[in-house]
Amino acid sequence: MVALQSAIGRHWTASAMAMVLGLAATPMASATDYTVLTSGQPSGAMSVVEAPGGREISFRFNDRGRGPEVRSVVTVDSDLLPVNLSIDGVDYYKLAVSEHFKQAGPAATWRAANDSGTVKAAGFYLPSETTPEHLSMLARALLRSPGHRIPLLPSGEARLEPLIERPIDIGGTPAVARLFALQGLGYEARPIWLDAHGELLMQGNAWFATVRHGMEAQAEGLIRAQAEALEKRDLARSSALMRRPSGPVMFRNVSLFDAVARVTRANMTVIVDGSRIVAVGQNGETAAPPGATVIDGTGKTLLPGLWDMHVHLATNSDGLLHLAAGVTSVRDLANTMEDTLLRKRRFETGELPGPRMVLAGFIDGPGPLSGPIKVLVSTPEEMRAAIRTYAARGYEQIKLYSSLDPALVPVAALEAHRLGLRLSGHVPAGMTMRQAVAAGFDEVHHLNFTALNFMSADINAKTNGITRITAIAEHAWEIDPGSPKVREFIAFLKAKGTVVDPTMSLYESDLLGRPGTPAPNLAADIDRLPPVVRRAAYGAGLARGEKEVVRNAASFRTMSGLLKALYDGGVPLVAGTDDTPGFTYHRELELYQKAGIPAADVLYIATLGAARVAGREAELGSVSPGKLADLILVDGNPTASVSDLRKTVLVMKDGVLFQPDTLLSEVGVGPAAK
């Protein structure tokens, strides 16, 4: 780590200081255009125009019918700090955006949809609807600032760390791209590429990036180079985040959650040797092995590691958030293949701290609303070839998506099942959930498709866009979870053995979120989050007025009723988030208990139930001799209240010990209130 810091210091002297001088000497061109790429394909644009004392920014992109379209005007002072900022348009969900900031002497005042206020401080104000150019402006201000640190407004501090340089071509002229890591904005550093004058070249990653027009062909190389640089940075830090015991580990005086019987057993001892559980019994039945580390669990509950069955693990920081929450296994349901396979290998070898990963390969059909992973098929031959490619790389499941031709679902089912893979996904537009299950789906992701099954054909024809979200707000309240048609459908799902992955916390946030209040999935931990994340978490939900607030609350009650009806009907459920790792997972489980599912059954869903769906029950999911040592120690009794999982004090994955507070501190999360 010292060597790394020394290298960074040398880099600042040689390259970044030259850039600082260049900032004052060379303005940007009068207008610069950028292309927004989703999985390498154009999906939008950004234009940056010089204005008196600042910039005018236009930014838009299309993500399956969603995506912002905003215009921002920013003026700055001599230190490149914003003194006036406005941003207007629509956000990702097409809700109106109108945000304004002004620095007048010592007072900074802002007004946005999620918050407003005044502070007597100076610093850099990032709007809630941040564009890549706002990040570029922050980076240039950091290059100017002493120590390359700047207070953020309303709170927090941004820091800039130089990483690497790379030769590029700009309009036929050789140039140098410099990669920096913006820190203090979220759970992980944000990479940003600047030219010799500090102007934006590219910002983003393999999923989503904004690159200067004319450099689109170079984006893949820059993304690969930044991934390697960030990986090197993370590897240098990883050893301090984990502890490998030198001998056996003995947990004694614990209450043990028996996932098979779904009960808690008091006064238990569990012994781990290496990566395996070797003994489980009552206190006093087993002596401590020689050289054992003894962990006293008095007043605490020991459980199998938890499973998050709906993730898109995009960064190494996600791995830390999962582990800190007690999630030792995840199922990744769509991601870039090479990055995901590398991350999976790093987690498996212990080079980086992170959960076990089960992978599902993503397949969609072509079209303007196709999914972000561009594995797109339109013929049976293409479908079979895509599935074979995923199977050859070790994927265990196929996830179909919303723009797929429904006629290809039986083809996918036949080929996936022939190769021993599960088949799951969104219900393709033009199908109902019943039709998708009849055609071969083993599992359906998101509870909205259960509700959509009872809606009109014209709604189901448009579910590859934002309709699959807005229709839940508008019409879910019309469904009676106890009606004969719902009970008959649930019996159909049970007979088919269909699994449902509800992602309930998504609907809570969409339907119950209000301007100026924390997003429900993060509310319990809001004060611990990094300042920029905390501010962004004050979400607005989908309601545009009081009538919609009432309607959406009724729709959420229906969604909770459908969840309980599925449980009562014997349909297997798996717990997943599709959102912020860790914190959202705890909320997901709380919503299951709140819907009326007993806490012990919720814990079964999160442990052995998930392992069985993933085909891992022989090695994981319960605390039994011979199984892999994935365990969590909780200060409380989650079989009474699953909220006690928020008080996880120790995590073991593969016999390696992790302290949640240490992991969270690494990603900028503060300690829990005592």
Side-chain angles (χ1 to χ4, degrees), residues 84-100:
N84 281 283
L85 181 150
S86 68
I87 185 163
D88 296 279
V90 295
D91 67 9
Y92 181 79
Y93 284 109
K94 305 301 183 184
L95 299 175
V97 170
S98 181
E99 184 171 359
H100 301 275

mmCIF file of all heavy atoms in Angstrom, residues 84-100:
data_model
loop_
_atom_site.group_PDB
_atom_site.id
_atom_site.type_symbol
_atom_site.label_atom_id
_atom_site.label_comp_id
_atom_site.label_asym_id
_atom_site.label_seq_id
_atom_site.Cartn_x
_atom_site.Cartn_y
_atom_site.Cartn_z
ATOM 1 N N ASN A 84 -23.755 29.151 -9.827
ATOM 2 C CA ASN A 84 -25.149 29.029 -10.249
ATOM 3 C C ASN A 84 -25.291 27.737 -11.039
ATOM 4 O O ASN A 84 -24.433 27.424 -11.888
ATOM 5 C CB ASN A 84 -25.583 30.202 -11.130
ATOM 6 C CG ASN A 84 -25.898 31.444 -10.324
ATOM 7 O OD1 ASN A 84 -26.954 31.540 -9.709
ATOM 8 N ND2 ASN A 84 -24.954 32.386 -10.319
ATOM 9 N N LEU A 85 -26.338 26.992 -10.766
ATOM 10 C CA LEU A 85 -26.583 25.743 -11.496
ATOM 11 C C LEU A 85 -28.085 25.533 -11.625
ATOM 12 O O LEU A 85 -28.829 25.735 -10.663
ATOM 13 C CB LEU A 85 -25.942 24.557 -10.772
ATOM 14 C CG LEU A 85 -26.086 23.168 -11.398
ATOM 15 C CD1 LEU A 85 -24.887 22.287 -11.062
ATOM 16 C CD2 LEU A 85 -27.371 22.463 -10.939
ATOM 17 N N SER A 86 -28.512 25.165 -12.808
ATOM 18 C CA SER A 86 -29.902 24.753 -13.009
ATOM 19 C C SER A 86 -29.911 23.488 -13.842
ATOM 20 O O SER A 86 -29.021 23.270 -14.674
ATOM 21 C CB SER A 86 -30.707 25.848 -13.703
ATOM 22 O OG SER A 86 -30.260 26.021 -15.046
ATOM 23 N N ILE A 87 -30.883 22.648 -13.599
ATOM 24 C CA ILE A 87 -31.057 21.449 -14.403
ATOM 25 C C ILE A 87 -32.558 21.178 -14.498
ATOM 26 O O ILE A 87 -33.262 21.157 -13.494
ATOM 27 C CB ILE A 87 -30.265 20.253 -13.823
ATOM 28 C CG1 ILE A 87 -30.364 19.046 -14.739
ATOM 29 C CG2 ILE A 87 -30.687 19.906 -12.421
ATOM 30 C CD1 ILE A 87 -29.300 17.984 -14.459
ATOM 31 N N ASP A 88 -33.038 21.044 -15.738
ATOM 32 C CA ASP A 88 -34.464 20.868 -15.998
ATOM 33 C C ASP A 88 -34.663 19.772 -17.026
ATOM 34 O O ASP A 88 -33.784 19.516 -17.864
ATOM 35 C CB ASP A 88 -35.073 22.174 -16.515
ATOM 36 C CG ASP A 88 -35.012 23.286 -15.493
ATOM 37 O OD1 ASP A 88 -35.877 23.301 -14.609
ATOM 38 O OD2 ASP A 88 -34.081 24.117 -15.574
ATOM 39 N N GLY A 89 -35.826 19.126 -16.974
ATOM 40 C CA GLY A 89 -36.159 18.071 -17.919
ATOM 41 C C GLY A 89 -36.916 16.961 -17.233
ATOM 42 O O GLY A 89 -37.781 17.215 -16.380
ATOM 43 N N VAL A 90 -36.591 15.709 -17.590
ATOM 44 C CA VAL A 90 -37.218 14.545 -16.958
ATOM 45 C C VAL A 90 -36.130 13.577 -16.514
ATOM 46 O O VAL A 90 -35.058 13.505 -17.122
ATOM 47 C CB VAL A 90 -38.217 13.838 -17.896
ATOM 48 C CG1 VAL A 90 -39.387 14.737 -18.222
ATOM 49 C CG2 VAL A 90 -37.539 13.347 -19.177
ATOM 50 N N ASP A 91 -36.437 12.819 -15.458
ATOM 51 C CA ASP A 91 -35.460 11.886 -14.918
ATOM 52 C C ASP A 91 -35.604 10.510 -15.568
ATOM 53 O O ASP A 91 -36.309 10.344 -16.569
ATOM 54 C CB ASP A 91 -35.563 11.805 -13.394
ATOM 55 C CG ASP A 91 -36.869 11.173 -12.906
ATOM 56 O OD1 ASP A 91 -37.646 10.636 -13.722
ATOM 57 O OD2 ASP A 91 -37.108 11.208 -11.682
ATOM 58 N N TYR A 92 -34.958 9.517 -14.991
ATOM 59 C CA TYR A 92 -34.922 8.165 -15.548
ATOM 60 C C TYR A 92 -36.319 7.580 -15.730
ATOM 61 O O TYR A 92 -36.584 6.868 -16.686
ATOM 62 C CB TYR A 92 -34.077 7.279 -14.632
ATOM 63 C CG TYR A 92 -33.919 5.846 -15.080
ATOM 64 C CD1 TYR A 92 -33.016 5.523 -16.085
ATOM 65 C CD2 TYR A 92 -34.651 4.834 -14.484
ATOM 66 C CE1 TYR A 92 -32.857 4.208 -16.496
ATOM 67 C CE2 TYR A 92 -34.505 3.513 -14.884
ATOM 68 C CZ TYR A 92 -33.597 3.207 -15.892
ATOM 69 O OH TYR A 92 -33.449 1.903 -16.301
ATOM 70 N N TYR A 93 -37.229 7.905 -14.807
ATOM 71 C CA TYR A 93 -38.600 7.409 -14.891
ATOM 72 C C TYR A 93 -39.549 8.403 -15.559
ATOM 73 O O TYR A 93 -40.766 8.278 -15.447
ATOM 74 C CB TYR A 93 -39.117 7.048 -13.495
ATOM 75 C CG TYR A 93 -38.558 5.741 -12.988
ATOM 76 C CD1 TYR A 93 -37.628 5.717 -11.958
ATOM 77 C CD2 TYR A 93 -38.942 4.532 -13.547
ATOM 78 C CE1 TYR A 93 -37.112 4.510 -11.496
ATOM 79 C CE2 TYR A 93 -38.431 3.333 -13.091
ATOM 80 C CZ TYR A 93 -37.522 3.329 -12.064
ATOM 81 O OH TYR A 93 -37.001 2.132 -11.613
ATOM 82 N N LYS A 94 -38.994 9.404 -16.235
ATOM 83 C CA LYS A 94 -39.758 10.401 -16.987
ATOM 84 C C LYS A 94 -40.557 11.338 -16.081
ATOM 85 O O LYS A 94 -41.541 11.939 -16.517
ATOM 86 C CB LYS A 94 -40.698 9.732 -18.003
ATOM 87 C CG LYS A 94 -39.995 8.778 -18.970
ATOM 88 C CD LYS A 94 -38.910 9.484 -19.776
ATOM 89 C CE LYS A 94 -38.258 8.555 -20.792
ATOM 90 N NZ LYS A 94 -37.133 9.209 -21.519
ATOM 91 N N LEU A 95 -40.130 11.474 -14.832
ATOM 92 C CA LEU A 95 -40.732 12.434 -13.919
ATOM 93 C C LEU A 95 -40.004 13.770 -14.059
ATOM 94 O O LEU A 95 -38.800 13.821 -14.338
ATOM 95 C CB LEU A 95 -40.658 11.941 -12.477
ATOM 96 C CG LEU A 95 -41.376 10.618 -12.197
ATOM 97 C CD1 LEU A 95 -41.124 10.177 -10.767
ATOM 98 C CD2 LEU A 95 -42.867 10.729 -12.472
ATOM 99 N N ALA A 96 -40.728 14.869 -13.848
ATOM 100 C CA ALA A 96 -40.164 16.195 -14.067
ATOM 101 C C ALA A 96 -38.997 16.477 -13.127
ATOM 102 O O ALA A 96 -39.032 16.133 -11.942
ATOM 103 C CB ALA A 96 -41.243 17.253 -13.889
ATOM 104 N N VAL A 97 -37.963 17.112 -13.669
ATOM 105 C CA VAL A 97 -36.790 17.544 -12.914
ATOM 106 C C VAL A 97 -36.698 19.060 -13.007
ATOM 107 O O VAL A 97 -36.781 19.630 -14.096
ATOM 108 C CB VAL A 97 -35.500 16.918 -13.483
ATOM 109 C CG1 VAL A 97 -34.269 17.561 -12.855
ATOM 110 C CG2 VAL A 97 -35.489 15.425 -13.265
ATOM 111 N N SER A 98 -36.545 19.704 -11.871
ATOM 112 C CA SER A 98 -36.282 21.142 -11.837
ATOM 113 C C SER A 98 -35.447 21.413 -10.591
ATOM 114 O O SER A 98 -35.967 21.438 -9.482
ATOM 115 C CB SER A 98 -37.588 21.943 -11.794
ATOM 116 O OG SER A 98 -37.297 23.337 -11.788
ATOM 117 N N GLU A 99 -34.153 21.582 -10.797
ATOM 118 C CA GLU A 99 -33.213 21.719 -9.678
ATOM 119 C C GLU A 99 -32.394 22.982 -9.873
ATOM 120 O O GLU A 99 -31.926 23.268 -10.990
ATOM 121 C CB GLU A 99 -32.308 20.495 -9.612
ATOM 122 C CG GLU A 99 -31.354 20.495 -8.429
ATOM 123 C CD GLU A 99 -30.626 19.164 -8.265
ATOM 124 O OE1 GLU A 99 -30.886 18.232 -9.064
ATOM 125 O OE2 GLU A 99 -29.808 19.056 -7.335
ATOM 126 N N HIS A 100 -32.197 23.732 -8.770
ATOM 127 C CA HIS A 100 -31.483 25.004 -8.869
ATOM 128 C C HIS A 100 -30.571 25.177 -7.656
ATOM 129 O O HIS A 100 -30.933 24.820 -6.535
ATOM 130 C CB HIS A 100 -32.481 26.163 -8.954
ATOM 131 C CG HIS A 100 -33.402 26.053 -10.124
ATOM 132 N ND1 HIS A 100 -33.072 26.501 -11.382
ATOM 133 C CD2 HIS A 100 -34.635 25.501 -10.236
ATOM 134 C CE1 HIS A 100 -34.052 26.244 -12.217
ATOM 135 N NE2 HIS A 100 -35.019 25.632 -11.551
#
